[in-house]
Structures are given as structure tokens and as C-alpha cells.
Amino acid sequence: MATASCDTDLSTRSDGRDLPAWTGELKLLPLLDADAPAATWRIVEAFSRSDLPFELHLAWSAGSGAGAECKITVARSARVCVYARGLRIRAGNLADATNRVGVTVADAYAVTENQWETTGLSDEQGVAVDIPIPPFARRVRVEMADQSQLSTTYVLVYDGLAVLRASVPGDQQPTEGVPIGGARTVQIDPSGASAWRAVFTLSL
């Protein structure tokens, strides 16, 4: 008769692959697929052996059906803790050179916090841009390449009824970012052309 510890053993606990250089859009490739008869807390550690950034998409299940998913931007390495029976991990390169990435999974619990970043380029007209809200988002902070435009750029937060609930000047954002709360839509309303990024803090 199998023991409880054996019931939680994953079919595989580590893997790695070379991610091809960025070609203009994110290309996600399989990094790890693993299953176990029973769920337990798992610590997933993903890392770049090339010291380059990449994006990680993680899906997991704890019961008999489909579970949750998350997206994480990894500068060099990251750790995320989930209660899972099965894991599906995909990775995409964010660098203009081949990126060797790896992943390992241990059975344990730890408090973790991660981030997801999206980037863009505003035009001269300063048209408001929708920012996709990732799963498990807690806060978002917007930054501009042209810092002189930050005071005239606004972070707009709309609720589930599409009602504007917050309009925060870029230079008045809290240090930790604007709370997401029950937002349906987040927008950047820039004053002119500039490269920007929005970094979400994740409760994961």
C-alpha cells in the first residue's frame, strides 16, 4: 500500500531548455509537465543560467479538474508556492539572445511574492492604453522612460461596471503601486510619446 508521501510524488521534478532569442513577440515553450496522485504544497523555483529575463506561465490543479494559472516575469530567478497535484509550466524569452532556463520543484511551503511586467510605447497623441490585469494582481506601478512625462501621465482604474474609480498622476503613485482591488480595467493615460512599463505585484 502506498504511503501518503509517495502519493504526492511528482512524475518529474526538474527540467530545462534553451529559449530562442526574442523575435518581436512572446513565444512560450514547454518547460515542465508533472503530475502526482495527491496534492501538497509545492515550491517551484525557476531560473536563468544565462542571467537573462524571461516570462513564466504556470498552471496547476489540486483536484480532478482544471485549476488556476499565473504569469510571472522573472529577472533572473523566482520562487512560487502553490498547492498542487499537477503542474504545467511554460517559459518565454524576454532577451535578444538564447536563454537557458531551468525549473525545480520541492514539496514544501513558503511565503512568496512575485511580479508580472507588461511594456508599451505611447504615441504623440497620448491615447489611453488598456493594461491587461494578470491573475493574482495586488498592485500596479507605472514607469516612463521619459520621466518628465510622469507628472502628466495618469493611471486610471475602472471597476466592474466600467466606472472610473481612481485617476492617479504617475508622480503621485504610492511607492508600492496603485491597489488593484476590484478593478475590471486599468489604463495608462500618457501625455505624449514615451516607452513605458507597468509592473504588477502578485499575491503568489
Side-chain angles (χ1 to χ4, degrees):
M1 180 177 179
T3 64
S5 60
C6 289
D7 288 341
T8 60
D9 282 350
L10 288 168
S11 53
T12 182
R13 290 185 176 273
S14 64
D15 211 338
R17 72 177 304 149
D18 291 326
L19 302 179
W22 173 270
T23 58
E25 62 181 15
L26 184 68
K27 182 179 181 181
L28 293 170
L29 298 176
L31 184 57
L32 184 140
D33 292 285
D35 291 284
T40 190
W41 285 104
R42 319 275 189 187
I43 297 177
V44 179
E45 293 189 339
F47 49 90
S48 168
R49 296 192 181 278
S50 306
D51 287 334
L52 294 170
F54 62 100
E55 185 160 312
L56 197 71
H57 287 207
L58 172 63
W60 67 96
S61 59
S64 58
E69 298 182 2
C70 70
K71 300 188 292 185
I72 298 172
T73 300
V74 183
R76 297 294 182 273
S77 59
R79 177 181 297 131
V80 58
C81 187
V82 296
Y83 189 79
R85 177 183 60 81
L87 294 168
R88 301 288 179 271
I89 303 175
R90 304 291 181 262
N93 198 1
L94 296 176
D96 59 358
T98 301
N99 193 353
R100 179 67 180 176
V101 301
V103 62
T104 61
V105 183
D107 294 348
Y109 174 81
V111 176
T112 59
E113 183 175 288
N114 288 284
Q115 63 184 3
W116 182 73
E117 177 184 283
T118 184
T119 61
L121 180 65
S122 59
D123 58 25
E124 290 290 349
Q125 286 71 40
V127 178
V129 179
D130 285 349
I131 305 173
I133 301 174
F136 299 96
R138 292 180 60 247
R139 292 177 176 269
V140 61
R141 181 172 176 83
V142 173
E143 297 173 338
M144 310 287 289
D146 183 353
Q147 294 188 25
S148 67
Q149 294 189 17
L150 198 57
S151 62
T152 53
T153 295
Y154 288 80
V155 181
L156 308 177
V157 181
Y158 295 84
D159 68 10
L161 302 176
V163 176
L164 179 63
R165 295 296 182 182
S167 179
V168 183
D171 62 347
Q172 295 181 31
Q173 297 174 89
T175 302
E176 64 274 19
V178 177
I180 295 298
R184 177 176 181 173
T185 306
V186 173
Q187 291 184 337
I188 295 177
D189 189 2
S191 59
S194 178
W196 56 265
R197 72 172 186 168
V199 180
F200 289 85
T201 301
L202 310 179
S203 58
L204 189 70

